[in-house]
């Protein structure tokens, strides 16, 4: 009997958590609908260097980099993330941010794509969009600070 009550509490808690997460999605007032900035008078190479340096300083690992994109990820330590996004193959989940940057005249536009990834680096990798999450608001704040720093 006690087992049923514990299970019920876990299910009710999970449903409440999901409802809370779905109640108020973050809406980005940007052309892409994702976190983004346009950095005036700065070339993409300089932006790339700053993105990579800041991401590594924040504990992210570099997944891949090319001339127009940097992919960074960090393992989530959250049991809730593991429960919601983990799989039977692997309970480890990673917060991933894909930064795409490119020149627009003398400026650089940076668009971020936020996701939670399970089975990272395997043929079974699964990505869940988090561009409407609270975490994406943090990415937007980071990009805004980067813009202010580079435009000085």
């Amino acid at each position: 009997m006690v087992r049923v009550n514990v299970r019920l509490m876990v299910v009710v808690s999970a449903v409440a958590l999901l409802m809370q997460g779905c109640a108020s999605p973050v809406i980005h007032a940007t052309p892409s609908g994702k976190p983004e900035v346009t950095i005036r008078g700065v070339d993409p190479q300089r932006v790339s260097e700053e993105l990579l340096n800041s991401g590594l300083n924040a504990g992210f690992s570099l997944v891949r980099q090319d001339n127009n994109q940097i992919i960074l990820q960090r393992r989530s330590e959250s049991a809730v993330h593991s429960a919601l996004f983990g799989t039977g193959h692997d309970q480890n989940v990673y917060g991933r941010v894909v930064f795409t940057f490119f020149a627009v005249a003398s400026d650089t536009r940076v668009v971020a794509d936020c996701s939670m990834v399970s089975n990272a680096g395997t043929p079974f990798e699964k990505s869940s969009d988090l561009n409407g999450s609270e975490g994406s608001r943090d990415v937007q704040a980071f990009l805004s600070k980067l813009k202010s720093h580079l435009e000085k």
Side-chain angles (χ1 to χ4, degrees):
M1 188 67 141
V2 173
R3 270 188 144 159
V4 173
N5 290 337
V6 171
R7 286 182 185 167
L8 179 62
M9 288 183 353
V10 169
V11 170
V12 169
S13 298
V15 169
L17 184 65
L18 286 172
M19 289 175 62
Q20 180 185 14
C22 296
S24 57
V26 174
I27 306 295
H28 295 282
T30 62
S32 67
K34 299 175 182 180
E36 75 170 80
V37 293
T38 298
I39 302 172
R40 308 272 181 231
V42 180
D43 66 282
Q45 179 61 35
R46 177 77 172 112
V47 172
S48 173
E49 292 166 0
E50 286 293 325
L51 282 170
L52 184 55
N53 186 51
S54 296
L56 294 175
N57 287 346
F60 284 82
S61 297
L62 177 65
V63 175
R64 188 169 54 87
Q65 177 182 16
D66 61 34
N67 290 336
N68 293 95
Q69 200 171 67
I70 292 177
I71 302 175
L72 299 170
Q73 72 181 20
R74 179 171 56 189
R75 184 171 174 257
S76 174
E77 299 297 328
S78 168
V80 173
H81 289 162
S82 291
L84 293 175
F85 300 106
T87 67
H89 297 288
D90 189 0
Q91 287 298 308
N92 293 318
V93 293
Y94 297 85
R96 182 178 288 173
V97 184
V98 178
F99 294 102
T100 303
F101 46 92
F102 51 94
V104 179
S106 63
D107 305 332
T108 299
R109 182 176 174 199
V110 182
V111 180
D113 188 22
C114 307
S115 60
M116 190 64 69
V117 178
S118 58
N119 297 321
T122 72
F124 305 106
E125 184 171 290
K126 180 181 173 194
S127 180
S128 300
D129 184 343
L130 292 181
N131 288 311
S133 71
E134 280 298 317
S136 71
R137 192 184 314 264
D138 296 336
V139 173
Q140 181 64 58
F142 163 74
L143 288 174
S144 296
K145 287 179 186 174
L146 180 70
K147 173 183 169 74
S148 296
H149 170 72
L150 290 174
E151 287 183 344
K152 285 184 181 180

